[in-house]
């Protein structure tokens, strides 16, 4: 895991100043995973990696990757300093995903690919503690472009369909600023 993170750091070209970079966990209405966050004074880079905890017809074998660049409004909500900080962020996000499983109209072995250009909006809470961490809630409305491949019942021939749709995902995140 450390090696994967170091490779990401080397190729990302992100400066790693103290208390600006975090690792976190997230859960949403379509899965869960971990992410890496880089926080500046006016923007945020976030890379989300998803796991195979899909719901419904998405099955159990799944992987996803989202990348987001968000504009940050650090003092949008004015509260007493003893309550912490509540910055708001918004901006483009694009996701890629694959999952297999499910039974599409009594067909066996269904594989799905998705590309999801989104516009994310979120709010974070930075509690006033010595250890820097945050709790965030993000909303991802956007387009979904699916390619479903499935095995035909009468033969081993694979058929595929391309579908479009609109979706709204809700994501809960927790980050720890370790480096």
């Amino acid at each position: 895991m450390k090696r994967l993170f170091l490779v990401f750091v080397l190729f990302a070209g992100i400066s790693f100043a103290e208390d600006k970079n975090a690792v976190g966990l997230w859960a949403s209405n379509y899965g869960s995973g971990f992410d890496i966050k880089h926080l500046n004074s006016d923007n945020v880079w976030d890379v989300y990696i998803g796991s195979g905890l899909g719901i419904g017809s998405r099955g159990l074998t799944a992987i996803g990757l989202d990348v987001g660049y968000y504009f940050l409004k650090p003092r949008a909500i004015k509260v007493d300093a003893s309550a912490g900080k509540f910055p708001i962020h918004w901006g483009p996000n694009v996701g890629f995903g694959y999952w297999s499983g499910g039974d599409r109209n009594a067909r066996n072995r269904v594989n799905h690919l998705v590309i999801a250009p989104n516009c994310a909006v979120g709010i974070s809470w930075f509690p006033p503690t010595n250890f820097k961490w945050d709790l965030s809630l993000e909303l991802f409305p956007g387009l979904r472009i699916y390619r479903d491949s499935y095995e035909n019942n009468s033969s081993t021939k694979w058929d595929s369909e391309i579908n479009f749709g609109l979706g709204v995902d809700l994501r809960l995140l927790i980050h720890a600023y370790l480096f």
Side-chain angles (χ1 to χ4, degrees), residues 145-171:
I145 305 167
Y146 297 95
R147 182 174 186 261
D148 298 332
S149 300
Y150 51 88
E151 186 179 32
N152 196 328
N153 283 338
S154 61
S155 67
T156 58
K157 179 183 173 201
W158 284 79
D159 294 325
S160 64
E161 300 171 350
I162 295 180
N163 299 306
F164 297 90
L166 297 175
V168 176
D169 300 324
L170 186 63
R171 192 177 284 172

PDB file of all heavy atoms in Angstrom, residues 145-171:
ATOM      1  N   ILE A 145     -22.594   7.090 -18.357  1.00  0.00           N
ATOM      2  CA  ILE A 145     -22.516   6.403 -19.646  1.00  0.00           C
ATOM      3  C   ILE A 145     -22.097   4.969 -19.359  1.00  0.00           C
ATOM      4  O   ILE A 145     -20.982   4.724 -18.894  1.00  0.00           O
ATOM      5  CB  ILE A 145     -21.511   7.093 -20.587  1.00  0.00           C
ATOM      6  CG1 ILE A 145     -21.869   8.574 -20.737  1.00  0.00           C
ATOM      7  CG2 ILE A 145     -21.471   6.388 -21.938  1.00  0.00           C
ATOM      8  CD1 ILE A 145     -20.774   9.407 -21.376  1.00  0.00           C
ATOM      9  N   TYR A 146     -23.005   4.014 -19.600  1.00  0.00           N
ATOM     10  CA  TYR A 146     -22.783   2.614 -19.266  1.00  0.00           C
ATOM     11  C   TYR A 146     -22.554   1.790 -20.528  1.00  0.00           C
ATOM     12  O   TYR A 146     -23.197   2.023 -21.547  1.00  0.00           O
ATOM     13  CB  TYR A 146     -24.010   2.006 -18.576  1.00  0.00           C
ATOM     14  CG  TYR A 146     -24.360   2.615 -17.259  1.00  0.00           C
ATOM     15  CD1 TYR A 146     -25.301   3.618 -17.158  1.00  0.00           C
ATOM     16  CD2 TYR A 146     -23.745   2.160 -16.103  1.00  0.00           C
ATOM     17  CE1 TYR A 146     -25.632   4.169 -15.939  1.00  0.00           C
ATOM     18  CE2 TYR A 146     -24.076   2.705 -14.876  1.00  0.00           C
ATOM     19  CZ  TYR A 146     -25.017   3.705 -14.803  1.00  0.00           C
ATOM     20  OH  TYR A 146     -25.341   4.242 -13.601  1.00  0.00           O
ATOM     21  N   ARG A 147     -21.688   0.826 -20.424  1.00  0.00           N
ATOM     22  CA  ARG A 147     -21.562  -0.212 -21.447  1.00  0.00           C
ATOM     23  C   ARG A 147     -21.745  -1.536 -20.727  1.00  0.00           C
ATOM     24  O   ARG A 147     -20.911  -1.931 -19.917  1.00  0.00           O
ATOM     25  CB  ARG A 147     -20.212  -0.175 -22.139  1.00  0.00           C
ATOM     26  CG  ARG A 147     -20.116  -1.233 -23.220  1.00  0.00           C
ATOM     27  CD  ARG A 147     -18.830  -1.093 -24.011  1.00  0.00           C
ATOM     28  NE  ARG A 147     -18.820  -2.018 -25.111  1.00  0.00           N
ATOM     29  CZ  ARG A 147     -18.194  -3.184 -25.085  1.00  0.00           C
ATOM     30  NH1 ARG A 147     -17.524  -3.561 -24.019  1.00  0.00           N
ATOM     31  NH2 ARG A 147     -18.234  -3.987 -26.128  1.00  0.00           N
ATOM     32  N   ASP A 148     -22.855  -2.207 -20.996  1.00  0.00           N
ATOM     33  CA  ASP A 148     -23.159  -3.486 -20.372  1.00  0.00           C
ATOM     34  C   ASP A 148     -22.887  -4.594 -21.376  1.00  0.00           C
ATOM     35  O   ASP A 148     -23.383  -4.566 -22.496  1.00  0.00           O
ATOM     36  CB  ASP A 148     -24.638  -3.561 -19.962  1.00  0.00           C
ATOM     37  CG  ASP A 148     -25.007  -2.518 -18.927  1.00  0.00           C
ATOM     38  OD1 ASP A 148     -24.109  -2.131 -18.169  1.00  0.00           O
ATOM     39  OD2 ASP A 148     -26.175  -2.112 -18.890  1.00  0.00           O
ATOM     40  N   SER A 149     -22.086  -5.564 -20.972  1.00  0.00           N
ATOM     41  CA  SER A 149     -21.818  -6.745 -21.799  1.00  0.00           C
ATOM     42  C   SER A 149     -22.378  -7.961 -21.071  1.00  0.00           C
ATOM     43  O   SER A 149     -22.210  -8.093 -19.865  1.00  0.00           O
ATOM     44  CB  SER A 149     -20.315  -6.931 -22.013  1.00  0.00           C
ATOM     45  OG  SER A 149     -19.771  -5.824 -22.657  1.00  0.00           O
ATOM     46  N   TYR A 150     -23.023  -8.842 -21.805  1.00  0.00           N
ATOM     47  CA  TYR A 150     -23.612 -10.009 -21.176  1.00  0.00           C
ATOM     48  C   TYR A 150     -23.555 -11.190 -22.128  1.00  0.00           C
ATOM     49  O   TYR A 150     -23.513 -11.056 -23.340  1.00  0.00           O
ATOM     50  CB  TYR A 150     -25.061  -9.739 -20.747  1.00  0.00           C
ATOM     51  CG  TYR A 150     -25.922  -9.168 -21.845  1.00  0.00           C
ATOM     52  CD1 TYR A 150     -26.597 -10.006 -22.717  1.00  0.00           C
ATOM     53  CD2 TYR A 150     -26.040  -7.798 -22.010  1.00  0.00           C
ATOM     54  CE1 TYR A 150     -27.375  -9.482 -23.732  1.00  0.00           C
ATOM     55  CE2 TYR A 150     -26.810  -7.268 -23.019  1.00  0.00           C
ATOM     56  CZ  TYR A 150     -27.474  -8.117 -23.882  1.00  0.00           C
ATOM     57  OH  TYR A 150     -28.233  -7.592 -24.878  1.00  0.00           O
ATOM     58  N   GLU A 151     -23.561 -12.375 -21.534  1.00  0.00           N
ATOM     59  CA  GLU A 151     -23.534 -13.608 -22.301  1.00  0.00           C
ATOM     60  C   GLU A 151     -24.958 -13.953 -22.715  1.00  0.00           C
ATOM     61  O   GLU A 151     -25.871 -13.974 -21.895  1.00  0.00           O
ATOM     62  CB  GLU A 151     -22.945 -14.728 -21.450  1.00  0.00           C
ATOM     63  CG  GLU A 151     -22.738 -16.005 -22.208  1.00  0.00           C
ATOM     64  CD  GLU A 151     -22.124 -17.063 -21.324  1.00  0.00           C
ATOM     65  OE1 GLU A 151     -22.395 -17.067 -20.120  1.00  0.00           O
ATOM     66  OE2 GLU A 151     -21.388 -17.890 -21.858  1.00  0.00           O
ATOM     67  N   ASN A 152     -25.150 -14.203 -24.012  1.00  0.00           N
ATOM     68  CA  ASN A 152     -26.455 -14.561 -24.544  1.00  0.00           C
ATOM     69  C   ASN A 152     -26.829 -15.963 -24.054  1.00  0.00           C
ATOM     70  O   ASN A 152     -25.989 -16.841 -23.965  1.00  0.00           O
ATOM     71  CB  ASN A 152     -26.411 -14.501 -26.070  1.00  0.00           C
ATOM     72  CG  ASN A 152     -27.776 -14.482 -26.681  1.00  0.00           C
ATOM     73  OD1 ASN A 152     -28.706 -15.064 -26.145  1.00  0.00           O
ATOM     74  ND2 ASN A 152     -27.881 -13.808 -27.812  1.00  0.00           N
ATOM     75  N   ASN A 153     -28.088 -16.189 -23.742  1.00  0.00           N
ATOM     76  CA  ASN A 153     -28.534 -17.497 -23.240  1.00  0.00           C
ATOM     77  C   ASN A 153     -28.352 -18.627 -24.242  1.00  0.00           C
ATOM     78  O   ASN A 153     -28.053 -19.749 -23.871  1.00  0.00           O
ATOM     79  CB  ASN A 153     -30.011 -17.433 -22.843  1.00  0.00           C
ATOM     80  CG  ASN A 153     -30.215 -16.740 -21.536  1.00  0.00           C
ATOM     81  OD1 ASN A 153     -29.299 -16.655 -20.725  1.00  0.00           O
ATOM     82  ND2 ASN A 153     -31.413 -16.228 -21.332  1.00  0.00           N
ATOM     83  N   SER A 154     -28.534 -18.352 -25.520  1.00  0.00           N
ATOM     84  CA  SER A 154     -28.526 -19.424 -26.512  1.00  0.00           C
ATOM     85  C   SER A 154     -27.123 -19.830 -26.947  1.00  0.00           C
ATOM     86  O   SER A 154     -26.954 -20.869 -27.553  1.00  0.00           O
ATOM     87  CB  SER A 154     -29.343 -19.009 -27.736  1.00  0.00           C
ATOM     88  OG  SER A 154     -28.762 -17.849 -28.308  1.00  0.00           O
ATOM     89  N   SER A 155     -26.114 -19.014 -26.659  1.00  0.00           N
ATOM     90  CA  SER A 155     -24.751 -19.375 -27.077  1.00  0.00           C
ATOM     91  C   SER A 155     -23.765 -18.702 -26.140  1.00  0.00           C
ATOM     92  O   SER A 155     -24.135 -18.083 -25.158  1.00  0.00           O
ATOM     93  CB  SER A 155     -24.514 -18.901 -28.513  1.00  0.00           C
ATOM     94  OG  SER A 155     -24.512 -17.491 -28.556  1.00  0.00           O
ATOM     95  N   THR A 156     -22.519 -18.846 -26.471  1.00  0.00           N
ATOM     96  CA  THR A 156     -21.496 -18.177 -25.668  1.00  0.00           C
ATOM     97  C   THR A 156     -21.141 -16.824 -26.259  1.00  0.00           C
ATOM     98  O   THR A 156     -20.150 -16.226 -25.897  1.00  0.00           O
ATOM     99  CB  THR A 156     -20.231 -19.047 -25.583  1.00  0.00           C
ATOM    100  OG1 THR A 156     -19.765 -19.300 -26.904  1.00  0.00           O
ATOM    101  CG2 THR A 156     -20.510 -20.331 -24.851  1.00  0.00           C
ATOM    102  N   LYS A 157     -21.965 -16.355 -27.194  1.00  0.00           N
ATOM    103  CA  LYS A 157     -21.739 -15.044 -27.804  1.00  0.00           C
ATOM    104  C   LYS A 157     -22.046 -13.934 -26.791  1.00  0.00           C
ATOM    105  O   LYS A 157     -23.016 -13.990 -26.068  1.00  0.00           O
ATOM    106  CB  LYS A 157     -22.650 -14.888 -29.025  1.00  0.00           C
ATOM    107  CG  LYS A 157     -22.505 -13.557 -29.717  1.00  0.00           C
ATOM    108  CD  LYS A 157     -23.479 -13.430 -30.859  1.00  0.00           C
ATOM    109  CE  LYS A 157     -23.411 -12.022 -31.397  1.00  0.00           C
ATOM    110  NZ  LYS A 157     -24.571 -11.647 -32.137  1.00  0.00           N
ATOM    111  N   TRP A 158     -21.185 -12.912 -26.782  1.00  0.00           N
ATOM    112  CA  TRP A 158     -21.374 -11.777 -25.896  1.00  0.00           C
ATOM    113  C   TRP A 158     -22.042 -10.646 -26.655  1.00  0.00           C
ATOM    114  O   TRP A 158     -21.651 -10.311 -27.762  1.00  0.00           O
ATOM    115  CB  TRP A 158     -20.033 -11.305 -25.343  1.00  0.00           C
ATOM    116  CG  TRP A 158     -19.512 -12.180 -24.271  1.00  0.00           C
ATOM    117  CD1 TRP A 158     -18.876 -13.374 -24.429  1.00  0.00           C
ATOM    118  CD2 TRP A 158     -19.602 -11.960 -22.880  1.00  0.00           C
ATOM    119  NE1 TRP A 158     -18.565 -13.911 -23.234  1.00  0.00           N
ATOM    120  CE2 TRP A 158     -18.990 -13.064 -22.250  1.00  0.00           C
ATOM    121  CE3 TRP A 158     -20.139 -10.959 -22.095  1.00  0.00           C
ATOM    122  CZ2 TRP A 158     -18.914 -13.173 -20.873  1.00  0.00           C
ATOM    123  CZ3 TRP A 158     -20.045 -11.065 -20.732  1.00  0.00           C
ATOM    124  CH2 TRP A 158     -19.438 -12.167 -20.134  1.00  0.00           C
ATOM    125  N   ASP A 159     -23.066 -10.075 -26.071  1.00  0.00           N
ATOM    126  CA  ASP A 159     -23.743  -8.903 -26.610  1.00  0.00           C
ATOM    127  C   ASP A 159     -23.438  -7.724 -25.699  1.00  0.00           C
ATOM    128  O   ASP A 159     -23.098  -7.898 -24.532  1.00  0.00           O
ATOM    129  CB  ASP A 159     -25.259  -9.125 -26.668  1.00  0.00           C
ATOM    130  CG  ASP A 159     -25.645 -10.213 -27.654  1.00  0.00           C
ATOM    131  OD1 ASP A 159     -24.984 -10.331 -28.699  1.00  0.00           O
ATOM    132  OD2 ASP A 159     -26.602 -10.944 -27.364  1.00  0.00           O
ATOM    133  N   SER A 160     -23.592  -6.527 -26.236  1.00  0.00           N
ATOM    134  CA  SER A 160     -23.367  -5.367 -25.383  1.00  0.00           C
ATOM    135  C   SER A 160     -24.359  -4.270 -25.728  1.00  0.00           C
ATOM    136  O   SER A 160     -24.891  -4.226 -26.829  1.00  0.00           O
ATOM    137  CB  SER A 160     -21.935  -4.856 -25.519  1.00  0.00           C
ATOM    138  OG  SER A 160     -21.708  -4.391 -26.821  1.00  0.00           O
ATOM    139  N   GLU A 161     -24.587  -3.410 -24.767  1.00  0.00           N
ATOM    140  CA  GLU A 161     -25.483  -2.268 -24.911  1.00  0.00           C
ATOM    141  C   GLU A 161     -24.789  -1.051 -24.324  1.00  0.00           C
ATOM    142  O   GLU A 161     -24.055  -1.152 -23.346  1.00  0.00           O
ATOM    143  CB  GLU A 161     -26.774  -2.497 -24.121  1.00  0.00           C
ATOM    144  CG  GLU A 161     -27.567  -3.701 -24.519  1.00  0.00           C
ATOM    145  CD  GLU A 161     -28.715  -3.971 -23.558  1.00  0.00           C
ATOM    146  OE1 GLU A 161     -28.789  -3.334 -22.487  1.00  0.00           O
ATOM    147  OE2 GLU A 161     -29.529  -4.841 -23.870  1.00  0.00           O
ATOM    148  N   ILE A 162     -25.043   0.100 -24.918  1.00  0.00           N
ATOM    149  CA  ILE A 162     -24.559   1.359 -24.354  1.00  0.00           C
ATOM    150  C   ILE A 162     -25.781   2.142 -23.911  1.00  0.00           C
ATOM    151  O   ILE A 162     -26.722   2.324 -24.678  1.00  0.00           O
ATOM    152  CB  ILE A 162     -23.715   2.149 -25.369  1.00  0.00           C
ATOM    153  CG1 ILE A 162     -22.446   1.368 -25.682  1.00  0.00           C
ATOM    154  CG2 ILE A 162     -23.388   3.527 -24.824  1.00  0.00           C
ATOM    155  CD1 ILE A 162     -21.524   2.042 -26.661  1.00  0.00           C
ATOM    156  N   ASN A 163     -25.760   2.571 -22.660  1.00  0.00           N
ATOM    157  CA  ASN A 163     -26.888   3.286 -22.066  1.00  0.00           C
ATOM    158  C   ASN A 163     -26.415   4.600 -21.470  1.00  0.00           C
ATOM    159  O   ASN A 163     -25.268   4.724 -21.042  1.00  0.00           O
ATOM    160  CB  ASN A 163     -27.525   2.444 -20.951  1.00  0.00           C
ATOM    161  CG  ASN A 163     -28.049   1.135 -21.476  1.00  0.00           C
ATOM    162  OD1 ASN A 163     -28.829   1.111 -22.412  1.00  0.00           O
ATOM    163  ND2 ASN A 163     -27.620   0.034 -20.877  1.00  0.00           N
ATOM    164  N   PHE A 164     -27.308   5.565 -21.427  1.00  0.00           N
ATOM    165  CA  PHE A 164     -27.047   6.856 -20.821  1.00  0.00           C
ATOM    166  C   PHE A 164     -28.058   7.076 -19.713  1.00  0.00           C
ATOM    167  O   PHE A 164     -29.187   6.611 -19.798  1.00  0.00           O
ATOM    168  CB  PHE A 164     -27.181   7.990 -21.843  1.00  0.00           C
ATOM    169  CG  PHE A 164     -26.193   7.908 -22.962  1.00  0.00           C
ATOM    170  CD1 PHE A 164     -26.502   7.214 -24.122  1.00  0.00           C
ATOM    171  CD2 PHE A 164     -24.961   8.510 -22.855  1.00  0.00           C
ATOM    172  CE1 PHE A 164     -25.599   7.131 -25.159  1.00  0.00           C
ATOM    173  CE2 PHE A 164     -24.041   8.437 -23.875  1.00  0.00           C
ATOM    174  CZ  PHE A 164     -24.357   7.744 -25.041  1.00  0.00           C
ATOM    175  N   GLY A 165     -27.656   7.785 -18.706  1.00  0.00           N
ATOM    176  CA  GLY A 165     -28.583   8.103 -17.631  1.00  0.00           C
ATOM    177  C   GLY A 165     -28.055   9.232 -16.778  1.00  0.00           C
ATOM    178  O   GLY A 165     -26.909   9.649 -16.911  1.00  0.00           O
ATOM    179  N   LEU A 166     -28.919   9.718 -15.924  1.00  0.00           N
ATOM    180  CA  LEU A 166     -28.539  10.732 -14.959  1.00  0.00           C
ATOM    181  C   LEU A 166     -28.539  10.082 -13.589  1.00  0.00           C
ATOM    182  O   LEU A 166     -29.379   9.244 -13.296  1.00  0.00           O
ATOM    183  CB  LEU A 166     -29.517  11.906 -14.989  1.00  0.00           C
ATOM    184  CG  LEU A 166     -29.579  12.689 -16.292  1.00  0.00           C
ATOM    185  CD1 LEU A 166     -30.680  13.731 -16.222  1.00  0.00           C
ATOM    186  CD2 LEU A 166     -28.247  13.353 -16.590  1.00  0.00           C
ATOM    187  N   GLY A 167     -27.603  10.472 -12.775  1.00  0.00           N
ATOM    188  CA  GLY A 167     -27.513   9.890 -11.441  1.00  0.00           C
ATOM    189  C   GLY A 167     -27.129  10.928 -10.413  1.00  0.00           C
ATOM    190  O   GLY A 167     -26.552  11.961 -10.728  1.00  0.00           O
ATOM    191  N   VAL A 168     -27.459  10.636  -9.178  1.00  0.00           N
ATOM    192  CA  VAL A 168     -27.071  11.476  -8.056  1.00  0.00           C
ATOM    193  C   VAL A 168     -26.495  10.551  -6.994  1.00  0.00           C
ATOM    194  O   VAL A 168     -27.160   9.624  -6.547  1.00  0.00           O
ATOM    195  CB  VAL A 168     -28.263  12.267  -7.485  1.00  0.00           C
ATOM    196  CG1 VAL A 168     -27.828  13.054  -6.263  1.00  0.00           C
ATOM    197  CG2 VAL A 168     -28.856  13.174  -8.528  1.00  0.00           C
ATOM    198  N   ASP A 169     -25.246  10.800  -6.640  1.00  0.00           N
ATOM    199  CA  ASP A 169     -24.579  10.011  -5.613  1.00  0.00           C
ATOM    200  C   ASP A 169     -24.307  10.895  -4.412  1.00  0.00           C
ATOM    201  O   ASP A 169     -23.989  12.069  -4.551  1.00  0.00           O
ATOM    202  CB  ASP A 169     -23.257   9.442  -6.140  1.00  0.00           C
ATOM    203  CG  ASP A 169     -23.465   8.539  -7.348  1.00  0.00           C
ATOM    204  OD1 ASP A 169     -24.485   7.830  -7.372  1.00  0.00           O
ATOM    205  OD2 ASP A 169     -22.624   8.551  -8.249  1.00  0.00           O
ATOM    206  N   LEU A 170     -24.401  10.324  -3.242  1.00  0.00           N
ATOM    207  CA  LEU A 170     -24.135  11.010  -1.989  1.00  0.00           C
ATOM    208  C   LEU A 170     -22.987  10.273  -1.309  1.00  0.00           C
ATOM    209  O   LEU A 170     -23.035   9.053  -1.162  1.00  0.00           O
ATOM    210  CB  LEU A 170     -25.378  11.001  -1.102  1.00  0.00           C
ATOM    211  CG  LEU A 170     -25.305  11.798   0.178  1.00  0.00           C
ATOM    212  CD1 LEU A 170     -25.113  13.289  -0.120  1.00  0.00           C
ATOM    213  CD2 LEU A 170     -26.565  11.585   0.994  1.00  0.00           C
ATOM    214  N   ARG A 171     -21.951  11.018  -0.901  1.00  0.00           N
ATOM    215  CA  ARG A 171     -20.744  10.403  -0.358  1.00  0.00           C
ATOM    216  C   ARG A 171     -20.408  11.039   0.995  1.00  0.00           C
ATOM    217  O   ARG A 171     -20.414  12.252   1.128  1.00  0.00           O
ATOM    218  CB  ARG A 171     -19.599  10.620  -1.338  1.00  0.00           C
ATOM    219  CG  ARG A 171     -18.375   9.819  -1.060  1.00  0.00           C
ATOM    220  CD  ARG A 171     -17.329  10.048  -2.129  1.00  0.00           C
ATOM    221  NE  ARG A 171     -17.677   9.334  -3.343  1.00  0.00           N
ATOM    222  CZ  ARG A 171     -17.021   9.463  -4.498  1.00  0.00           C
ATOM    223  NH1 ARG A 171     -16.008  10.276  -4.598  1.00  0.00           N
ATOM    224  NH2 ARG A 171     -17.381   8.785  -5.543  1.00  0.00           N
TER     225      ARG A 171
END
